[in-house]
Amino acid sequence: MIRQKVIEDIHNDMCLIKHNMFSVAHTAGDVLALGHTQLMVLRAVEKNKGTGIKDLANLLNISPSAVTQIVDGLVEKGLLTREMDLKDRRAISLSLTAEASGRIVEIKKQTTLKIVAAFDALNDDELAMFALLNKKLAEKITGN
């Protein structure tokens, strides 16, 4: 499906713009009882397997103590696990649980459904033009 591919490309570009310009609450995360910051941490751990608190703090530009609090809550919910580094007992590595992986898949599905529904407002020509313009903006904003 060409239309579906175009919508996926637009979604990817919109994520780049969002990441570089501002942060918006993920409504799909709310549906699954996850806050925006919790969702950001889960996605960061998903993309950076085995990451630790300090790395997450740098990646998300928040304090290590804030990351620790968020991680504590996610561990309590059964969404993250902590593992000690065998070489450095002070260092920990974070991993998603199977439940967290499943939630992330569900969030991505819900997000895709919402995006597809939003783009139903455009006909194929308008969608193609929007994709072109969105890509141009994303390249300008991200420098890629």
Side-chain angles (χ1 to χ4, degrees), residues 5-143:
K5 173 71 172 114
V6 170
I7 291 171
E8 290 172 8
D9 289 347
I10 291 169
H11 178 226
N12 290 335
D13 293 338
M14 288 172 69
C15 287
L16 288 172
I17 292 168
K18 184 189 86 159
H19 176 75
N20 284 280
M21 290 185 64
F22 55 88
S23 178
V24 175
H26 296 276
T27 57
D30 293 339
V31 170
L32 296 173
L34 293 174
H36 174 71
T37 308
Q38 290 174 315
L39 187 55
M40 284 180 14
V41 167
L42 289 176
R43 286 187 170 170
V45 171
E46 177 191 34
K47 290 179 183 177
N48 303 281
K49 295 180 186 359
T51 193
I53 298 291
K54 288 181 184 177
D55 294 332
L56 275 178
N58 289 333
L59 185 65
L60 300 173
N61 198 28
I62 56 179
S63 71
S65 62
V67 172
T68 299
Q69 287 182 338
I70 296 163
V71 166
D72 287 347
L74 292 169
V75 169
E76 285 178 24
K77 287 183 177 189
L79 301 174
L80 283 181
T81 60
R82 286 188 175 103
E83 297 174 18
M84 279 199 209
D85 186 328
L86 296 176
K87 295 176 185 173
D88 181 358
R89 289 187 295 171
R90 296 172 298 169
I92 63 161
S93 131
L94 300 169
S95 301
L96 297 178
T97 64
E99 182 181 349
S101 295
R103 282 188 177 205
I104 288 173
V105 167
E106 185 59 31
I107 289 167
K108 287 178 182 177
K109 284 180 188 177
Q110 287 182 23
T111 301
T112 299
L113 288 174
K114 288 180 181 184
I115 290 167
V116 169
F119 282 107
D120 282 344
L122 303 177
N123 66 34
D124 289 345
D125 291 337
E126 291 168 335
L127 184 65
M129 180 57 72
F130 181 82
L132 179 68
L133 295 172
N134 193 61
K135 186 166 201 66
K136 187 174 182 178
L137 289 172
E139 288 171 353
K140 175 71 173 174
I141 291 166
T142 63

